[in-house]
Amino acid sequence: MAEAVARVARRANEVVENKEHHLDLSDCKLNKFPISLYMVLSTVSEEIFSISLANNEIKALTGKFFTTFTQLQDLTLEGNNMLKLPDEVCGLTQLKSINLSRNKFQHFPEMLLAVSSIEHINLADNEIKDVAVEKLRALPALRTVNLRGNPLNKDGLDLTNITFELIV
C-alpha cells in the first residue's frame, strides 16, 4: 500500500514540476480520487488535458473531480468498479474520448449525451442491456461507441441513419 501511495505522490509531483498535460494514476490501487491531489494539482489543473485512472478500484468520482479538471479531452476510467458518472461530467465541454470499459455500468451514462464534443465512448465489458441509439444520433462529433461485451438486446437496436460506428 505504501508503494502505491508513493507512486501517486510521485506522479502528481511530476505533473506539477514538469507542467505536464497528462496525469497517469493507473494501477495505483485507488478506491477514490485522493482529496489531497486537488490542492497539489490546483496550479496546473486547467492545463491537464488527459487523465488515466485505469485499473484501480474506484467505485465513483465526485462532482469536484469534473469541476476541477474542466479542460479534459481524454479520460480513461477503464478497469474500475464504477456504476455511474456524476452530473458534473456535462461540464466537460472539451471532452473527446472517455474509456469506461470493464466497469459495472448497467445503464448507458445519459449525462454523456450532453457533452457535444464527445467523439469516442468506450463502454465495452460492462452490464448494459439497452442503449438509446436515437439519442446518440444527436451527438454532432460522435465517431465511435464501443459496447462490445455487454448483454445488449441487439434485436431492439435501430441502426438506421447512424453517422457513427457502433461496435456491439
Side-chain angles (χ1 to χ4, degrees):
M1 184 60 133
E3 181 182 319
V5 171
R7 186 178 321 131
V8 168
R10 184 177 66 252
R11 289 180 183 178
N13 286 332
E14 286 172 0
V15 168
V16 173
E17 290 170 9
N18 301 327
K19 293 183 172 55
E20 294 177 8
H21 302 292
H22 175 69
L23 174 63
D24 184 359
L25 297 179
S26 55
D27 300 300
C28 288
K29 299 182 174 145
L30 298 172
N31 58 18
K32 62 183 178 179
F33 189 81
I35 294 171
S36 59
L37 288 189
Y38 291 115
M39 183 63 88
V40 171
L41 298 169
S42 65
T43 60
V44 296
S45 64
E46 292 293 314
E47 301 299 319
I48 295 175
F49 303 122
S50 174
I51 295 179
S52 178
L53 296 169
N55 304 316
N56 283 293
E57 299 165 15
I58 298 171
K59 291 183 180 176
L61 288 174
T62 64
K64 182 172 179 68
F65 177 86
F66 295 99
T67 57
T68 299
F69 301 104
T70 58
Q71 300 303 311
L72 279 181
Q73 296 176 12
D74 181 47
L75 179 58
T76 302
L77 298 168
E78 171 184 13
N80 281 286
N81 295 310
M82 298 184 69
L83 295 167
K84 63 181 184 170
L85 293 173
D87 292 341
E88 288 82 358
V89 74
C90 299
L92 297 180
T93 59
Q94 307 297 314
L95 188 65
K96 294 182 185 311
S97 178
I98 189 164
N99 185 344
L100 300 167
S101 64
R102 297 187 303 112
N103 274 281
K104 307 281 185 209
F105 286 90
Q106 295 178 349
H107 304 285
F108 185 92
E110 295 276 327
M111 61 287 307
L112 289 178
L113 298 171
V115 182
S116 62
S117 60
I118 196 90
E119 295 177 7
H120 306 283
I121 301 171
N122 187 347
L123 280 158
D125 301 314
N126 276 278
E127 300 167 14
I128 299 170
K129 293 180 182 134
D130 292 304
V131 80
V133 175
E134 65 278 359
K135 291 181 180 178
L136 290 171
R137 285 187 189 107
L139 289 171
L142 191 60
R143 296 174 63 199
T144 60
V145 178
N146 185 349
L147 293 166
R148 185 175 284 137
N150 282 282
L152 281 174
N153 175 11
K154 294 177 186 169
D155 295 333
L157 292 178
D158 177 10
L159 302 179
T160 58
N161 298 320
I162 61 171
T163 57
F164 57 89
E165 180 181 10
L166 182 63
I167 304 165
V168 289

